[in-house]
mmCIF file of all heavy atoms in Angstrom:
data_model
loop_
_atom_site.group_PDB
_atom_site.id
_atom_site.type_symbol
_atom_site.label_atom_id
_atom_site.label_comp_id
_atom_site.label_asym_id
_atom_site.label_seq_id
_atom_site.Cartn_x
_atom_site.Cartn_y
_atom_site.Cartn_z
ATOM 1 N N SER A 40 9.113 33.476 5.664
ATOM 2 C CA SER A 40 9.964 34.691 5.526
ATOM 3 C C SER A 40 10.187 35.309 6.899
ATOM 4 O O SER A 40 11.240 35.854 7.243
ATOM 5 C CB SER A 40 9.436 35.725 4.558
ATOM 6 O OG SER A 40 8.224 36.308 5.018
ATOM 7 N N LEU A 41 9.217 35.236 7.776
ATOM 8 C CA LEU A 41 9.309 35.837 9.145
ATOM 9 C C LEU A 41 10.148 35.025 10.106
ATOM 10 O O LEU A 41 10.777 35.558 10.926
ATOM 11 C CB LEU A 41 7.855 36.038 9.762
ATOM 12 C CG LEU A 41 6.967 37.025 9.150
ATOM 13 C CD1 LEU A 41 5.597 36.933 9.736
ATOM 14 C CD2 LEU A 41 7.555 38.407 9.337
ATOM 15 N N ILE A 42 10.221 33.726 9.906
ATOM 16 C CA ILE A 42 10.945 32.929 10.863
ATOM 17 C C ILE A 42 12.423 32.782 10.485
ATOM 18 O O ILE A 42 13.200 32.292 11.276
ATOM 19 C CB ILE A 42 10.340 31.509 11.005
ATOM 20 C CG1 ILE A 42 10.356 30.737 9.721
ATOM 21 C CG2 ILE A 42 8.893 31.616 11.538
ATOM 22 C CD1 ILE A 42 10.013 29.267 9.822
ATOM 23 N N GLY A 43 12.825 33.291 9.357
ATOM 24 C CA GLY A 43 14.266 33.286 9.024
ATOM 25 C C GLY A 43 14.818 32.125 8.268
ATOM 26 O O GLY A 43 16.007 31.720 8.426
ATOM 27 N N VAL A 44 14.050 31.394 7.522
ATOM 28 C CA VAL A 44 14.485 30.283 6.729
ATOM 29 C C VAL A 44 15.524 30.671 5.738
ATOM 30 O O VAL A 44 15.313 31.737 5.023
ATOM 31 C CB VAL A 44 13.353 29.598 6.038
ATOM 32 C CG1 VAL A 44 13.804 28.453 5.139
ATOM 33 C CG2 VAL A 44 12.239 29.112 6.968
ATOM 34 N N ASN A 45 16.607 29.904 5.613
ATOM 35 C CA ASN A 45 17.623 30.154 4.617
ATOM 36 C C ASN A 45 17.879 28.853 3.819
ATOM 37 O O ASN A 45 17.988 27.827 4.430
ATOM 38 C CB ASN A 45 18.959 30.602 5.286
ATOM 39 C CG ASN A 45 18.945 32.016 5.710
ATOM 40 O OD1 ASN A 45 18.593 32.901 4.909
ATOM 41 N ND2 ASN A 45 19.169 32.248 6.942
ATOM 42 N N LEU A 46 17.970 28.991 2.533
ATOM 43 C CA LEU A 46 18.305 27.878 1.654
ATOM 44 C C LEU A 46 19.787 27.827 1.524
ATOM 45 O O LEU A 46 20.372 28.863 0.948
ATOM 46 C CB LEU A 46 17.598 28.015 0.267
ATOM 47 C CG LEU A 46 17.809 26.930 -0.772
ATOM 48 C CD1 LEU A 46 17.354 25.656 -0.275
ATOM 49 C CD2 LEU A 46 17.166 27.247 -2.090
ATOM 50 N N LYS A 47 20.410 26.783 1.924
ATOM 51 C CA LYS A 47 21.902 26.724 1.839
ATOM 52 C C LYS A 47 22.376 25.953 0.593
ATOM 53 O O LYS A 47 23.404 26.246 0.079
ATOM 54 C CB LYS A 47 22.420 26.038 3.141
ATOM 55 C CG LYS A 47 22.187 26.726 4.426
ATOM 56 C CD LYS A 47 22.860 28.143 4.344
ATOM 57 C CE LYS A 47 22.741 28.817 5.592
ATOM 58 N NZ LYS A 47 23.371 30.189 5.555
ATOM 59 N N LYS A 48 21.678 24.912 0.197
ATOM 60 C CA LYS A 48 22.102 24.070 -0.949
ATOM 61 C C LYS A 48 20.921 23.532 -1.628
ATOM 62 O O LYS A 48 19.978 23.079 -0.941
ATOM 63 C CB LYS A 48 23.036 22.949 -0.495
ATOM 64 C CG LYS A 48 23.647 22.185 -1.590
ATOM 65 C CD LYS A 48 24.711 21.246 -1.163
ATOM 66 C CE LYS A 48 25.239 20.513 -2.385
ATOM 67 N NZ LYS A 48 26.168 19.529 -2.145
ATOM 68 N N LEU A 49 20.936 23.479 -2.977
ATOM 69 C CA LEU A 49 19.935 22.779 -3.734
ATOM 70 C C LEU A 49 20.515 22.363 -4.977
ATOM 71 O O LEU A 49 21.105 23.160 -5.775
ATOM 72 C CB LEU A 49 18.722 23.794 -4.043
ATOM 73 C CG LEU A 49 17.610 23.227 -4.835
ATOM 74 C CD1 LEU A 49 16.887 22.082 -4.129
ATOM 75 C CD2 LEU A 49 16.626 24.372 -5.209
ATOM 76 N N ASP A 50 20.463 21.047 -5.284
ATOM 77 C CA ASP A 50 20.937 20.506 -6.553
ATOM 78 C C ASP A 50 20.007 19.356 -6.943
ATOM 79 O O ASP A 50 18.993 19.169 -6.286
ATOM 80 C CB ASP A 50 22.353 20.057 -6.461
ATOM 81 C CG ASP A 50 22.700 18.976 -5.498
ATOM 82 O OD1 ASP A 50 21.850 18.155 -5.220
ATOM 83 O OD2 ASP A 50 23.846 18.971 -4.955
ATOM 84 N N ASN A 51 20.352 18.615 -7.909
ATOM 85 C CA ASN A 51 19.479 17.556 -8.443
ATOM 86 C C ASN A 51 19.091 16.445 -7.332
ATOM 87 O O ASN A 51 18.100 15.786 -7.485
ATOM 88 C CB ASN A 51 19.978 16.879 -9.644
ATOM 89 C CG ASN A 51 20.048 17.790 -10.875
ATOM 90 O OD1 ASN A 51 19.657 18.962 -10.741
ATOM 91 N ND2 ASN A 51 20.419 17.272 -12.032
ATOM 92 N N GLU A 52 19.925 16.331 -6.397
ATOM 93 C CA GLU A 52 19.795 15.192 -5.379
ATOM 94 C C GLU A 52 19.528 15.689 -3.932
ATOM 95 O O GLU A 52 19.028 14.940 -3.190
ATOM 96 C CB GLU A 52 21.029 14.333 -5.371
ATOM 97 C CG GLU A 52 21.313 13.683 -6.718
ATOM 98 C CD GLU A 52 22.570 12.796 -6.648
ATOM 99 O OE1 GLU A 52 22.739 12.138 -5.573
ATOM 100 O OE2 GLU A 52 23.222 12.724 -7.666
ATOM 101 N N TYR A 53 19.824 16.950 -3.683
ATOM 102 C CA TYR A 53 19.928 17.326 -2.211
ATOM 103 C C TYR A 53 19.433 18.762 -2.007
ATOM 104 O O TYR A 53 19.596 19.639 -2.809
ATOM 105 C CB TYR A 53 21.421 17.205 -1.885
ATOM 106 C CG TYR A 53 21.796 17.566 -0.517
ATOM 107 C CD1 TYR A 53 21.688 16.659 0.460
ATOM 108 C CD2 TYR A 53 22.387 18.801 -0.191
ATOM 109 C CE1 TYR A 53 22.041 16.944 1.804
ATOM 110 C CE2 TYR A 53 22.746 19.098 1.084
ATOM 111 C CZ TYR A 53 22.612 18.209 2.123
ATOM 112 O OH TYR A 53 22.979 18.421 3.362
ATOM 113 N N CYS A 54 18.811 18.881 -0.836
ATOM 114 C CA CYS A 54 18.387 20.238 -0.424
ATOM 115 C C CYS A 54 18.771 20.375 1.094
ATOM 116 O O CYS A 54 18.625 19.478 1.909
ATOM 117 C CB CYS A 54 16.869 20.411 -0.559
ATOM 118 S SG CYS A 54 16.288 22.006 -0.090
ATOM 119 N N GLU A 55 19.250 21.595 1.368
ATOM 120 C CA GLU A 55 19.646 21.892 2.761
ATOM 121 C C GLU A 55 19.078 23.337 3.088
ATOM 122 O O GLU A 55 19.334 24.248 2.382
ATOM 123 C CB GLU A 55 21.146 21.815 2.958
ATOM 124 C CG GLU A 55 21.544 22.051 4.341
ATOM 125 C CD GLU A 55 23.068 21.922 4.554
ATOM 126 O OE1 GLU A 55 23.619 20.879 4.127
ATOM 127 O OE2 GLU A 55 23.685 22.837 5.157
ATOM 128 N N LEU A 56 18.390 23.374 4.239
ATOM 129 C CA LEU A 56 17.841 24.667 4.749
ATOM 130 C C LEU A 56 18.260 24.832 6.172
ATOM 131 O O LEU A 56 18.479 23.843 6.909
ATOM 132 C CB LEU A 56 16.332 24.754 4.594
ATOM 133 C CG LEU A 56 15.759 24.504 3.241
ATOM 134 C CD1 LEU A 56 14.801 23.378 3.161
ATOM 135 C CD2 LEU A 56 15.080 25.771 2.834
ATOM 136 N N THR A 57 18.172 26.058 6.663
ATOM 137 C CA THR A 57 18.376 26.264 8.074
ATOM 138 C C THR A 57 17.267 27.266 8.638
ATOM 139 O O THR A 57 16.697 27.999 7.858
ATOM 140 C CB THR A 57 19.729 26.961 8.300
ATOM 141 O OG1 THR A 57 19.846 28.239 7.657
ATOM 142 C CG2 THR A 57 20.876 26.052 7.994
ATOM 143 N N VAL A 58 17.050 27.143 9.890
ATOM 144 C CA VAL A 58 16.181 28.128 10.599
ATOM 145 C C VAL A 58 16.818 28.399 12.013
ATOM 146 O O VAL A 58 17.244 27.438 12.635
ATOM 147 C CB VAL A 58 14.715 27.607 10.706
ATOM 148 C CG1 VAL A 58 14.615 26.423 11.661
ATOM 149 C CG2 VAL A 58 13.784 28.705 11.087
#
Side-chain angles (χ1 to χ4, degrees):
S40 69
L41 290 174
I42 64 172
V44 177
N45 285 306
L46 180 63
K47 296 297 184 183
K48 183 173 181 181
L49 179 64
D50 62 30
N51 290 5
E52 297 181 37
Y53 181 81
C54 181
E55 182 177 312
L56 300 123
T57 60
V58 69

